[in-house]
Amino acid sequence: MDNCLLFDNDGTLVDSEYLCNIGLVLMFRRYGIVLDADELVIRFRGWKLSSLLSILEKENGLDLPGDFVQEYRTIVSGLFNKELRPVEGVIEALEALDAPKAVVSSGPIEKIKHTLGLCGLSKYFGDNLYSSYEVGIWKPDPGIYLHAAKGMGYSVENCIVIDDGPVGVKAGTEAGMTTFFFNRFEEQCNIEGVVSFTTMDELPGLVKNTRDLQHQQS
């Protein structure tokens, strides 16, 4: 049986994480708080939005209004429309990978569809889109990847996770899946068995090697 490829979205398929955090910088500026977008990317990528906002509230002594998230998402959507691009090399990698593919994201389903559409990636995934908001499970909980595997009709042994965030990598490994860490910032990863790579042109070869190894062991 072929492998099923489960891709994170933000930072793995679409180069959205910096833009998302620019949105936070702009929103918090209203309260006289100066945040650094690059620092936020490193610190919070892959996190549940409400969790990171709770931390930023406490650190800055704020009580954010109820319409904060809606306004934030409106700002980010506008930034996406103007500036969002696919991650470098990801289209070529997707073209080279003939296995079934799905997107497994901590973002809302509307955001997933919007970003994939803007970047010309929708055709690679069709309706195979899995959002944490639909099941109430966020990375690093492995349940979101287990949910996606079940939806795709694959056992965990035949799933490969591709994720750029430490929380996503942890979720993939705890789900019992082969996990590739798209290590864009060349960070240390101490999770046993995780394969790190830094450019998308490496991915097809990694998938092939995994498939060959599994065939030898079967």
Side-chain angles (χ1 to χ4, degrees):
M1 191 176 191
D2 283 337
N3 295 112
C4 178
L5 307 180
L6 304 179
F7 285 85
D8 173 53
N9 188 39
D10 294 296
T12 301
L13 294 171
V14 299
D15 203 0
S16 55
E17 288 174 329
Y18 183 75
L19 297 177
C20 288
N21 286 292
I22 286 292
L24 288 176
V25 169
L26 293 174
M27 289 295 292
F28 274 80
R29 188 179 294 169
R30 299 179 180 184
Y31 306 98
I33 304 298
V34 177
L35 298 177
D36 183 277
D38 291 311
E39 179 183 320
L40 292 172
V41 169
I42 296 293
R43 188 177 178 192
F44 291 120
R45 66 190 189 280
W47 279 49
K48 181 181 180 181
L49 179 60
S50 62
S51 296
L52 72 87
L53 288 178
S54 178
I55 289 175
L56 292 175
E57 279 184 299
K58 292 176 183 177
E59 289 180 348
N60 294 285
L62 292 177
D63 186 13
L64 298 175
D67 61 353
F68 182 93
V69 171
Q70 181 179 349
E71 289 193 37
Y72 162 73
R73 292 203 185 281
T74 298
I75 287 175
V76 169
S77 180
L79 291 171
F80 284 172
N81 289 336
K82 294 178 181 178
E83 301 182 41
L84 187 64
R85 299 290 183 271
V87 164
E88 183 177 356
V90 78
I91 292 177
E92 292 80 1
L94 291 171
E95 287 284 348
L97 292 164
D98 59 359
K101 306 172 186 68
V103 178
V104 185
S105 172
S106 296
I109 196 72
E110 296 81 8
K111 178 187 174 186
I112 300 171
K113 291 179 178 178
H114 183 209
T115 55
L116 292 178
L118 287 172
C119 292
L121 303 181
S122 302
K123 64 181 181 180
Y124 299 106
F125 301 98
D127 295 327
N128 300 329
L129 310 177
Y130 299 91
S131 166
S132 289
Y133 284 84
E134 294 187 317
V135 291
I137 303 171
W138 276 264
K139 305 168 188 177
D141 190 320
I144 184 60
Y145 275 121
L146 294 172
H147 169 70
K150 183 178 180 180
M152 293 294 289
Y154 279 78
S155 66
V156 296
E157 294 83 5
N158 288 309
C159 289
I160 296 176
V161 167
I162 303 98
D163 203 305
D164 79 308
V167 292
V169 170
K170 183 177 180 182
T173 55
E174 291 193 358
M177 300 175 182
T178 298
T179 302
F180 296 155
F181 178 27
F182 180 35
N183 195 355
R184 310 176 74 189
F185 304 104
E186 299 187 17
E187 299 169 289
Q188 187 74 25
C189 180
N190 297 317
I191 302 176
E192 185 176 353
V194 171
V195 176
S196 292
F197 68 107
T198 57
T199 61
M200 274 295 164
D201 61 2
E202 299 172 69
L203 183 58
L206 292 174
V207 172
K208 181 180 184 302
N209 290 342
T210 298
R211 184 181 297 171
D212 290 346
L213 181 61
Q214 289 175 341
H215 285 165
Q216 292 172 12
Q217 295 173 343
S218 62

